[in-house]
Structures are given as C-alpha cells and as structure tokens.
C-alpha cells in the first residue's frame, strides 16, 4: 500500500508543467491579434486620401430641388472663400476658436483621448455615433472624407489626424481650418465671414464679433443670425465667451462687457436667393439631424417632394391675405399641403414672408399652437367606432361638466347660440362645442388621446402626464399641436383610415450621380376603420351639414368640387385654422401672431384661414389634383330617417337620407317620441284611476333624457341643463307634464286590473289583482268567487291573489266596507278556458 502511494507521488512530480502550453497559446493569440489588426489597418489605409490634398481640396455645392427637378436652393453655390494668413486674423478669433472647438489644440497630436473615449461610450451605450473631434479631425472630416456618420469613417479620420499632425505644424493646421470652416450660407473661411457679416477684415474683428463667428461652424444654419433659430447665435456667443474666460484668454470683466454688446450688435443685410425657404431649411435641419452637420458640404443633389408651382402659389396667397388681415392684428400665417395618398409634403409656407425681420423666420408649420375645433373630427371618429352614428341626437344646451372638487367646466358655442336636439352630422358640420364635449365625456379622454396619437399627433401621446394635464376642453383645442402633424392626421381620413409618416425627400445623389438614398414605399398602418373614415369625410364635405353656422356660400365651399374641410378657432382668438382634403391633396392653414397675442376680428369660414385655404385648394383642383372623397365602403348603407330626431321616419315629420355602418342603423322611431296619457281633469299624467275609468286623453311629446357620465354626487347635470332649456321653449312638444294627477273620486272606487269583465282566461290559475281608491278608512275587504270567500282582510286597499279554478264561468264579487258602515261592491264574470256568453 505504501509503495503504491510513493509511485503515485513520483508520477505527479514527473508530470510536465502547464505554463509552456499557456505561453504558446497566448503567443498564438497575440500573433493572430496583430495579424487581424494589421489586415484591418491595411483595409482602412487602402483608400485613404492624401493629407497633401488639404491645401487643394474645396467644398462642392449641394443642390436641393423640388419633385420636378426645379432648383430651390444651391448650398454654397456662390462660395465666398478669401484665403488669409494666420497672422492676418484677429487674436480674438484664434482664442475663441480654440476655446470652443479644441482647448488642447497645441498640446495633443491630432486626437483627443478623452474625446475618443466619450465618443466610444456614446456609440456603445447610447447607440449614438458622436464626435469628440479636434480641430485637426474637423479639418479632415470637412475636406478629405465623406459626410457619412459611421465608425469606419471615424477610424479613418483618426488615422489621418496623426499623419496630418506629422506633416504640418499646428499653426498651418489652424490656418487651413480657419480658411475652410463653414460660417453659414456662402461664407467659407474666416475672412469671407468677417466681411459678409460685419463688413470688415478678419484682423479687425472685435472680441464680441469673434465670439459670434467662432460659434457658427458647429451648426452654421442653426446659429445663423439671418436664417437660424431666433437668438440661438446669442446663446452660442455667450457660451464661447464663457469658455474663453475659463481658459484664461479674457477676464470676467471683458466677458461681461462683450455680453452686453451682443444686444447692440448689427449685421450686414444678407443677400439670399432661395425658393420655399422654410421648407428648404426644414429639410436641411432634418438631414443634418440624421447624417451630421457636414452632410450638405459634399456636392449632393437632393430631390424633395415639394411641388414648386403649388408652393409659390401658396406663398403668394398667404402673403396677400395676411396683408389684408393686418388691420385686425393678424400678422402671420402658414400652410402645409400634403399628398393625400402618400403624405409627401407638397408645399410648406412657414410664415407670410420669410424675409420679414419681425415674423419671417418663425416656421409656424412645426410650432406648437392650439388647434381649436380642428381636432373635433378625431372625437367623432372615436364615437363612430363605439356605435354612435351621424343620426345620434345629443342636446346642445348650456351644460355644466363636473371636472374636479368645486370645479365645473361650462363650454360655450362659437356663435353663442344653442340649438337643442341636434344630430351628430350637424353638430360636427356646424362645430357645436357642447356636443363635442359631451361626446368626449362619453368616449373617454384616454380613448381620444390614444386615437389622436396613433393618427400622428405626437403631443397627444396618452401618457400619465397628458392624462393628468388635459381635460374635456382638449376636444375644443385645449392642447397644443403642430400644423404639419395635424394635417397629416387628416390624411388618415382622406386615405380611408391608414396612417403614413409625412415625407420630404424622394432621392439623394452624390456628386458622381450615384444614388445614396431613394424613398421606399412606407408601410401603411390602419388606425381607423374605413367606414368611420368615410363617415367623417362625408360629413365634412357636406355643405348642408354646416349651413346653420356658415351659411350656403362660405369659403369652406369650393363650387363644383367636393372637398372635406373643418375649421378651428380658439376661444381667445389666438389661433385660427382651416384644414381640408380631397382624395388627392390635404391642405391645412393657420393664422395668428407669433407672440401668441389675440387677433381682432376673425370669423371661421369668412375671414382668417379659410379664404387662404379656399384659394389654394381651388388652385390645386384646377392644376391636376382631383377632388372627391374615398368611395363608400360596402359595409356602409344609406337609410331614410326622421330628419328631426334621427330614428326611422315618423309620420308628420320631414325625412332625410343618412349613412350608417351596418348594424348601427335605427330599428324604430326615436325613443324620444313619447305618447302620454294626460288627465282630462288636471292636465297632468293620468293616474291609475283615470286610466281605468277612461278619464284621460293621449298626446304626443318629445321627451329627451341624457345621463351625466361624470357626476360623482348623483346629480344629473346634463338633464338639469335640458330641463332648464325646455322651460324656456314655447314649442308645446317639449312641455310634457311630469307630475302624476292627484285626482281622486269622491266615492270609494274599486279598480280591477285582472280579470276583466267577460274575459276568457286560458289558464286554471287566475290572478285577481286590483286596488281600492278612497280617502276614507277601509274596515274590511272581501272577495268572493261564486260565493266562496278567497280573501277577507281588514283595512286592505290593494289585493293580488292567485286562485286555482276548474274550467267554467265564474262570478267575481268584491265588497269594500268603510268604517262609517257604507259598503261598495263590484261584480264581474269571467271564464276559465271557457268563453263567457254575452
């Protein structure tokens, strides 16, 4: 046993060590890594441009055209680039550029390790390829490489940065950068920018002027004092000054003095040749968001969806009509036109005059504004999905809606009038506010927000915050939307219930003519049943449905053509809208003031947005776009109905024809028609005695009832409002009595419900039921069937007994004895399975 253990120990000691194998494996991995790295590096190096081209390469123009190839704008077409030596540039420009772009420019070897790590982190963890570029890298990216935002381009950029730093001095690199940086529009290089913006040479730029120009290359269009976002250049300049102070180039006092000078700074007036300016810069911003700020610097040809003829007509109409409205304190207007079938942007006018210093740069098509009643069709669409119909009747009366504790909401109609019972077709057509709020209360705020969001209105996403923030007033426009998104939501109706994202690019080609992007047919998403889309479209195209509010000849009517249209005006007259469509084109118009101040006199369908909409729609329908709405779906049927209360035709009332989704059409006359028994004695509802004795007459009334779905306290505020309205009416149809007649006979009366005299009862179980009508005290009630007592009860004033009887004819006698001794009797005959002979 001991020998075996020794042998095992000797064998273990003789076992070869493992570390040589590990070393070999690690060496193989290392060699493999170097090989792969070498191959990868070779792949990246194979088509790298030569850094020597930095001094010779220049930027190429990018052209943006409409859908037919007509040029809208050529970026940098008249490129103004005036070379300048570094010692001919203001020290403030050099300091400002280094401070805001690359604080360690004179320390690094072409790349920033910290910037690269930050870029890697954002790329890996935030799924967003980001820069961290030095001035050297920006110079390379702008001149030597393509604008694609990919990891491979970033690696090439880094490799070239090391080589550029090896070949050129820091001052040479900075000089090339300043001579080739984009400063907005046609201004390339610091010298042309200095002359273009301030009318002076780069060597004469002041601290504040240098801060403004140094901030532009990051986003030239966005920060441009001429075409950029309002005052964005000021915020950027303040950021540059802060960085200069932090890096020790200027003092705190110099920074503060320069900031004060920003508000007094003036620029040379720009000379800009551009067509469809708001659309061009809208597209530019979208492209730069997707592909990077330098995307348009590489000679691209961008074909957009715009139709220049329609665009220029729209610009002309908006300008002319706003000029007419300025006396009513209406200073701006905007339109969006979309292809109803594809949601391609055909026209975009962001303001009445792009070059107006006060109002021009504001692009109202993408600004948040309150839409007024223009969102009502979405509420009605949800209601029609729930089984409501265009013939459904709701009461248009001044109504209080419970909102919260001690808080009530009482909407008013646009014209201050209330119309009583009104069918939904006419409520939507005439834009009745009270009915729209009632519908929203019935279908629910969450359902409305969900539908609006699915139709493309991003600001109405049914989040917890929005559900808490919005209330019933949202159906009257109490929530902000973008004109572009609302118009696109209307294309859902025009298309028959299918949603598409709006689009603005058809094709992009590089400077060699190679297509690098071509629009693909997007997937349609059904967000609304086609039958519902048809009902909404038909109502909005029905001129008769809006006669009460707009009359027969408003600007909502296009003579000889069929177009669906809806208006919207906020209660405070800060926003006025008109949005309408055909199966080919959807056009939306907004008028108002950029500062959100109220307008003067604006009347929907008469002034404001509607004349603009009418003129542009007429032009479109005369130039190739077709009118009409979608075809009627097979599951929508036409039915003749009562024109008053919406049920089946009622004798004596006018009729009309309405469309219904199959299964929702009326099966009977309106339940609001009530035939009531009225006491001849009191004029009240006849009581049981009067009915049994025939002391009544039948009359027909209109009795409308509604339940308040919001009431937390049992009060039916909707019915209270209806009752109050009825009190003010002269029409006797609404004056149905509510109280039961209190008439009682002077003598005691026996009222027998069953059996009736000479009635044949087809059962051996006979119910004997009735009551005693008397103001006197009853001593005893006795009931006999053929002298057999079936009930003998003291003080009873009613009876309900079941008696089993064989077939035959019987006598029923009821005896009532009063306390004063007086006795009243009633006798009848009835047959059990046997007919009683007369």
């Amino acid at each position: 046993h001991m020998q075996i253990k020794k042998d095992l120990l000797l064998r273990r000691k003789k076992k070869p060590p493992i570390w040589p194998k590990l070393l070999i494996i690690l060496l193989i991995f290392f060699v493999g890594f170097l090989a792969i790295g070498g191959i990868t590096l070779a792949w990246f190096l194979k088509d790298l441009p030569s850094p020597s081209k930095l001094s010779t390469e220049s930027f190429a123009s990018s052209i943006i055209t409409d859908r037919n190839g007509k040029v809208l704008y050529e970026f940098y077409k008249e490129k103004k680039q005036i070379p300048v030596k570094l010692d001919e540039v203001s020290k403030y420009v050099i300091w400002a550029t280094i401070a805001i772009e690359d604080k360690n420019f004179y320390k690094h070897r072409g790349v920033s390790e910290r910037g690269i790590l930050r870029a890697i982190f954002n790329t890996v963890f935030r799924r967003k390829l980001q820069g961290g570029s030095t001035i050297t890298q920006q110079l390379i990216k702008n001149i030597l490489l393509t604008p694609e935002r990919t990891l491979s381009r970033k690696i090439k950029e880094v490799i070239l940065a090391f080589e550029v730093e090896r070949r050129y001095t820091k001052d040479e690199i900075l000089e090339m950068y300043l001579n080739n940086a984009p400063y907005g529009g046609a201004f390339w290089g610091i010298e042309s920018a200095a002359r273009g913006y301030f009318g002076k040479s780069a060597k004469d730029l002041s601290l504040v002027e240098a801060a403004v120009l140094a901030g532009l290359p990051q986003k030239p269009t966005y920060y441009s004092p001429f075409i950029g976002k309002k005052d964005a250049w000021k915020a950027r300049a303040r950021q540059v000054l802060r960085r200069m102070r932090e890096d020790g180039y200027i003092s705190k006092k110099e920074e503060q003095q320069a900031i004060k000078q920003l508000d007094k700074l003036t620029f040379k007036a720009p000379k800009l040749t551009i067509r469809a300016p708001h659309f061009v810069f809208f597209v530019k911003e979208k492209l730069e968001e997707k592909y990077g700020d330098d995307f348009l610097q590489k000679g691209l040809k961008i074909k957009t969806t715009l139709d220049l003829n329609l665009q220029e007509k729209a610009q002309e109409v908006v300008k002319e009509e706003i000029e007419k409205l300025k006396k009513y304190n209406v200073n701006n207007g905007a339109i969006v036109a979309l292809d109803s079938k594809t949601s391609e942007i055909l026209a975009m006018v962001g303001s009445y005059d792009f070059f107006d210093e006060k109002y021009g740069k504001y692009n109202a098509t993408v600004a948040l504004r309150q839409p007024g009643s223009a969102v009502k069709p979405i509420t009605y669409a949800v209601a029609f999905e729930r089984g409501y119909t265009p013939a459904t009747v709701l009461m248009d009366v001044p109504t209080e809606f419970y909102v919260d504790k001690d808080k009530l909401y009482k909407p008013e109609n646009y014209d201050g009038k209330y119309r009583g019972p009104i069918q939904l077709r006419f409520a939507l057509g005439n834009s009745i506010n009270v009915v729209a709020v009632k519908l929203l209360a019935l279908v629910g705020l969450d359902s409305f927000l969900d539908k609006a969001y699915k139709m493309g209105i991003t600001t109405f996403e049914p989040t917890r915050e929005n559900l808490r923030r919005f209330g019933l007033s949202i159906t009257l426009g109490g929530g902000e939307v973008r004109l572009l998104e609302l118009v696109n939501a209307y294309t859902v109706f025009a298309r028959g219930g299918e949603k598409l994202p709006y689009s603005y690019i058809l094709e992009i080609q590089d400077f060699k003519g190679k297509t690098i992007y071509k629009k693909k047919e997007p997937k349609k998403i059904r967000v609304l049943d086609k039958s519902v889309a048809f009902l909404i479209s038909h109502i909005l195209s029905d001129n008769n449905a809006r006669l009460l509010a707009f009359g027969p000849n408003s600007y909502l009517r296009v003579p000889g053509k069929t177009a669906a249209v809806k208006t919207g005006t906020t209660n405070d007259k800060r926003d006025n809208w008109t949005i309408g469509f055909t199966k080919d084109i959807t056009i939306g118009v907004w008028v108002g003031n950029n500062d959100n101040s109220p307008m003067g006199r604006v009347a929907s369908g008469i002034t404001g947005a509607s004349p603009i909409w009418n003129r542009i729609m007429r032009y479109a329908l005369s130039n190739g776009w077709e009118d009409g709405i979608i075809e009627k779906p097979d599951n929508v049927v036409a039915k003749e109905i009562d024109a008053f209360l919406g049920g089946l035709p009622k004798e004596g009332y006018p009729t009309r024809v309405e469309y219904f989704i199959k299964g929702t059409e009326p099966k009977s006359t309106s339940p609001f028609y009530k035939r009531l028994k009225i006491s001849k004695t009191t004029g009240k509802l006849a009581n049981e005695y009067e009915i049994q004795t025939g002391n009544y007459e039948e009359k027909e009334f209109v009795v409308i009832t509604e339940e308040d779905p919001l009431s937390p306290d049992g009060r039916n505020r909707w019915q209270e409002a209806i009752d109050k309205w009825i009190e003010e009416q002269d029409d006797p149809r609404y004056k149905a009595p509510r109280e039961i007649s209190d008439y009682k006979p002077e003598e005691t009366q026996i009222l027998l419900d069953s059996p009736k005299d000479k009635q044949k009862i087809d059962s051996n179980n006979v119910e004997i039921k009735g009551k005693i009508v008397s103001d006197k005290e009853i001593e005893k009630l006795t009931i006999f069937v053929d002298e057999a007592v079936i009930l003998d009860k003291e003080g009873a004033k009613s009876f309900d007994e079941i008696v089993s009887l064989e077939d035959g004819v019987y006598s029923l006698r009821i005896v009532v004895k009063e306390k004063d001794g007086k006795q009243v009797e009633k006798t009848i005959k009835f047959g059990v399975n046997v007919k009683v002979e007369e």
Side-chain angles (χ1 to χ4, degrees):
H1 179 71
M2 291 298 293
Q3 184 62 38
I4 292 173
K5 288 184 69 176
K6 287 179 181 179
D7 290 343
L8 287 172
L9 287 171
L10 286 171
R11 286 179 188 174
R12 288 177 184 170
K13 287 180 181 178
K14 292 178 181 178
K15 188 173 182 180
I18 196 170
W19 64 267
K21 291 183 179 180
L22 290 174
L23 188 60
I24 293 171
I25 292 171
L26 288 173
L27 186 60
I28 292 171
F29 272 112
F30 181 69
V31 171
F33 177 77
L34 288 178
I36 293 172
I39 293 170
T40 303
L41 184 60
W43 185 84
F44 280 115
L45 290 173
K46 66 181 175 66
D47 57 354
L48 279 181
S50 171
S52 62
K53 293 183 178 180
L54 281 175
S55 58
T56 59
E57 287 285 338
S58 63
F59 295 90
S61 298
S62 287
I63 299 173
I64 185 168
T65 74
D66 83 337
R67 66 192 305 115
N68 299 310
K70 297 177 182 176
V71 176
L72 303 177
Y73 187 58
E74 187 166 355
F75 291 97
Y76 328 125
K77 177 182 179 181
E78 300 173 358
K79 181 181 175 183
K80 297 173 182 170
Q81 188 175 27
I82 306 171
V84 65
K85 295 295 183 181
L86 191 62
D87 58 8
E88 297 174 333
V89 177
S90 165
K91 63 181 180 180
Y92 294 123
V93 172
I94 296 172
W95 293 347
T97 300
I98 293 174
I100 195 64
E101 295 291 351
D102 188 359
K103 64 181 292 185
N104 295 314
F105 173 68
Y106 280 101
K107 298 177 182 178
H108 61 64
R109 297 298 301 165
V111 297
S112 167
E113 292 81 2
R114 181 179 297 178
I116 290 175
L117 289 174
R118 184 172 65 250
I120 292 172
F121 175 84
N122 287 322
T123 302
V124 174
F125 295 102
R126 295 183 179 176
R127 302 293 181 185
K128 182 180 180 182
L129 191 63
Q130 197 176 48
S133 298
T134 63
I135 285 176
T136 308
Q137 288 174 269
Q138 291 181 53
L139 176 64
I140 293 164
K141 176 182 65 174
N142 288 343
I143 296 181
L144 299 181
L145 298 177
T146 64
E148 59 180 344
R149 305 186 82 183
T150 62
L151 185 59
S152 62
R153 194 216 70 184
K154 195 70 181 176
I155 294 172
K156 292 177 182 179
E157 181 184 301
V158 171
I159 295 171
L160 282 169
F162 287 117
E163 180 62 17
V164 168
E165 291 273 344
R166 189 184 68 80
R167 292 194 183 199
Y168 299 98
T169 67
K170 287 288 186 180
D171 285 351
E172 288 174 331
I173 293 170
L174 183 58
E175 182 180 295
M176 286 188 288
Y177 172 81
L178 288 173
N179 277 313
N180 289 281
Y183 288 92
F187 303 130
W188 287 85
I190 189 63
E191 181 67 15
S192 65
R195 296 185 188 187
Y197 286 106
F198 298 114
K200 60 175 66 173
S201 177
K203 67 180 179 356
D204 299 322
L205 290 170
S206 67
L207 170 59
V208 66
E209 292 167 342
V212 171
L213 294 185
L216 296 180
Q218 186 188 69
K219 290 184 178 181
T221 302
Y222 182 83
Y223 292 127
S224 169
F226 301 142
I227 60 176
K229 184 178 180 181
K230 182 176 174 59
D231 291 337
W233 65 272
K234 289 184 181 180
R236 179 66 171 168
R238 285 193 288 269
Q239 185 182 11
V240 173
L241 290 166
R242 175 178 59 78
R243 295 287 293 273
M244 291 179 73
R245 188 252 306 159
E246 291 172 348
D247 291 350
Y249 292 112
I250 61 174
S251 66
K252 180 70 174 177
K253 183 179 179 181
E254 288 176 306
E255 178 193 10
Q256 291 174 342
Q257 288 175 341
I259 289 174
K260 289 180 181 178
Q261 294 170 15
L262 281 173
D263 291 329
K264 303 175 184 177
L265 205 60
T266 57
F267 301 91
K268 287 181 64 178
K271 294 181 180 179
L272 189 65
T273 303
I274 188 171
R275 302 158 105 176
H278 283 108
F279 176 74
V280 166
F281 292 113
F282 168 81
V283 171
K284 184 178 189 294
E285 182 178 337
K286 294 291 185 182
L287 290 175
E288 289 177 342
E289 284 177 4
K290 186 173 182 180
Y291 298 110
D293 298 333
D294 53 355
F295 184 68
L296 294 170
Q297 300 169 11
K298 297 297 179 179
L300 304 174
K301 184 176 181 181
I302 302 158
K303 180 185 284 189
T304 70
T305 59
L306 196 85
D307 184 284
L308 186 58
N309 291 336
L310 181 65
Q311 170 73 22
E312 292 185 336
K313 182 64 178 180
Q315 289 175 180
E316 171 192 322
V317 171
V318 171
K319 190 174 178 95
E320 290 176 359
E321 293 295 331
I322 294 300
E323 289 291 346
K324 296 177 188 176
L325 290 169
K326 283 193 172 182
K327 58 186 175 183
Y328 302 121
N329 192 37
V330 181
N331 295 301
N332 208 1
I335 79 105
V336 168
L338 300 181
D339 186 306
S340 294
K341 295 174 181 175
T342 64
S343 278
E344 293 171 355
I345 297 177
L346 299 172
M348 173 186 280
V349 181
S351 71
Y352 91 102
D353 182 359
F354 178 82
F355 299 101
D356 182 277
E357 288 188 10
K358 192 172 183 181
Y359 303 107
K361 306 305 179 292
Y362 183 80
N363 188 349
T365 69
V366 292
L368 291 174
R369 308 292 303 203
Q370 291 197 351
S373 297
V375 295
K376 281 179 184 173
I378 300 175
T379 304
Y380 281 77
V382 177
F384 291 161
E385 284 186 331
R386 298 284 185 86
Y388 294 87
T389 76
T392 298
V393 171
L394 286 176
M395 286 295 285
D396 174 29
V397 295
T399 306
E400 289 183 337
F401 295 84
Y402 180 87
V403 176
D404 205 344
K405 185 179 180 182
D406 302 324
K407 188 176 180 182
L408 296 173
Y409 171 52
K410 192 173 183 179
E412 296 180 357
N413 286 333
Y414 179 76
D415 58 6
K417 299 177 182 178
Y418 300 90
R419 295 165 176 85
I422 188 168
Q423 295 176 39
L424 294 190
R425 170 175 290 271
F426 305 101
L428 176 56
N430 292 287
S431 201
I432 305 300
N433 287 343
V434 173
V435 174
V437 175
K438 283 185 174 181
L439 266 188
L440 181 59
L442 291 168
V443 302
L445 174 63
D446 54 343
S447 297
F448 169 84
L449 291 177
D450 182 65
K451 184 63 65 179
Y453 181 67
K454 287 178 178 175
M455 291 176 70
I457 302 177
T458 59
T459 50
F460 284 178
E461 184 177 2
T463 61
R464 288 184 180 179
E465 181 185 351
N466 279 345
L467 287 167
R468 182 171 59 252
R469 181 164 65 100
F470 293 132
L472 294 175
S473 64
I474 194 172
T475 191
L476 309 183
E480 293 181 328
V481 302
R482 296 177 177 86
L483 175 62
L484 177 56
E485 291 187 347
L486 186 56
V487 173
N488 196 38
Y490 269 68
T491 66
V492 173
F493 297 127
R495 254 190 315 271
E498 294 177 323
K499 175 193 171 186
L500 282 173
Y502 61 80
S503 56
Y504 42 89
I505 300 292
L506 293 177
E507 187 178 28
I508 301 176
Q509 294 181 342
D510 65 14
F511 67 97
K512 295 180 180 178
K514 179 183 177 183
T515 298
I516 59 177
Y517 169 84
K518 193 173 185 67
K519 182 191 172 187
K520 296 178 181 178
E521 191 68 31
K523 182 181 179 182
K524 295 178 180 178
I525 302 173
R526 180 158 296 284
V527 296
L528 202 62
D529 189 83
K530 189 175 183 180
S531 57
V532 173
F534 171 78
L535 291 180
I536 296 294
S537 301
H538 192 269
I539 293 172
L540 296 183
S541 65
D542 182 1
N543 199 51
N544 291 323
R546 53 177 171 257
L547 286 178
L548 292 174
F550 299 99
N553 296 307
S554 71
Y555 281 111
L556 307 183
R557 176 174 171 265
V558 181
K561 303 291 184 180
T562 299
V565 59
K566 182 74 187 70
T567 63
T569 305
T570 54
N571 288 339
D572 50 17
K573 289 185 170 58
R574 298 178 193 274
D575 301 274
N576 179 244
W577 309 64
T578 300
I579 305 176
F581 58 89
T582 71
K583 58 190 175 185
D584 259 13
I585 189 168
T586 302
I587 300 171
V589 180
W590 166 87
V591 299
N593 293 312
N594 294 2
D595 61 5
N596 211 32
S597 60
M599 296 173 280
R601 192 179 72 189
V602 175
S604 289
I606 301 172
T607 58
S610 51
I612 298 174
W613 177 86
N614 185 277
R615 287 182 63 184
I616 299 172
M617 181 60 82
R618 284 193 190 207
Y619 174 85
L621 299 184
S622 300
N623 286 272
W625 286 276
E626 293 186 20
D627 72 328
I629 60 174
I630 60 170
E631 297 296 322
K632 182 182 76 66
D634 292 339
N635 68 328
V636 172
V637 295
K639 198 171 185 70
E640 186 179 20
I641 62 167
D642 169 18
F644 179 43
L645 293 180
L648 291 181
K650 170 83 171 169
E651 187 178 353
Y653 288 86
T655 62
R656 67 180 186 86
V657 175
E658 182 57 272
Y659 284 115
F660 297 90
I661 300 172
K662 282 184 181 178
T664 66
E665 60 267 40
K667 305 298 189 298
S668 62
T669 57
S670 170
F672 295 144
Y673 290 116
K674 302 289 185 183
R675 195 164 185 82
L676 304 178
K677 295 179 172 63
I678 307 300
S679 168
K680 291 180 179 179
T681 304
T682 64
K684 300 178 181 179
L685 294 173
N687 60 34
E688 291 183 60
Y689 168 75
E690 290 171 314
I691 292 173
Q692 288 210 19
T693 58
N695 185 33
Y696 69 89
E697 58 183 345
E698 289 192 351
K699 290 185 178 180
E700 193 166 86
F701 296 91
V702 174
V703 181
I704 299 179
T705 58
E706 290 178 356
E707 290 297 326
D708 182 353
L710 306 175
S711 176
D713 52 14
R715 279 183 59 188
N716 187 345
R717 291 174 176 81
W718 292 19
Q719 192 62 47
E720 289 173 7
I722 293 171
D723 294 343
K724 184 177 180 181
W725 178 83
I726 288 173
E727 290 175 6
E728 300 169 353
Q729 303 308 303
D730 296 326
D731 192 334
R733 291 180 300 176
Y734 298 114
K735 302 294 185 178
R738 301 177 189 178
E739 298 179 1
I740 297 176
S741 175
D742 55 1
Y743 173 76
K744 292 182 180 179
E746 295 180 3
E747 299 293 331
T748 297
Q749 300 288 326
I750 301 172
L751 303 181
L752 189 59
D753 294 329
S754 69
K756 300 297 184 183
D757 191 26
K758 296 186 174 56
Q759 180 183 359
K760 176 190 174 187
I761 299 172
D762 299 324
S763 171
N764 293 101
N765 293 319
V766 179
E767 181 182 32
I768 299 174
K769 181 180 179 181
K771 64 173 61 176
I772 311 302
V773 180
S774 179
D775 288 334
K776 299 176 182 179
E777 193 174 353
I778 304 300
E779 181 177 327
K780 183 187 287 188
L781 168 65
T782 307
I783 300 177
F784 302 87
V785 174
D786 280 356
E787 302 306 323
V789 176
I790 64 165
L791 178 66
D792 192 20
K793 190 173 182 180
E794 294 182 357
K797 282 196 173 183
S798 64
F799 50 91
D800 189 355
E801 302 292 326
I802 302 293
V803 182
S804 295
L805 301 172
E806 295 180 355
D807 294 353
V809 176
Y810 295 88
S811 173
L812 172 65
R813 185 162 64 97
I814 303 170
V815 179
V816 177
K817 186 177 181 182
E818 299 171 354
K819 282 284 188 180
D820 58 9
K822 186 176 179 181
Q823 186 168 293
V824 179
E825 294 187 14
K826 184 179 186 76
T827 302
I828 67 163
K829 285 188 175 182
F830 65 91
V832 177
N833 296 316
V834 176
K835 187 176 181 181
V836 179
E837 297 293 337
E838 293 293 337

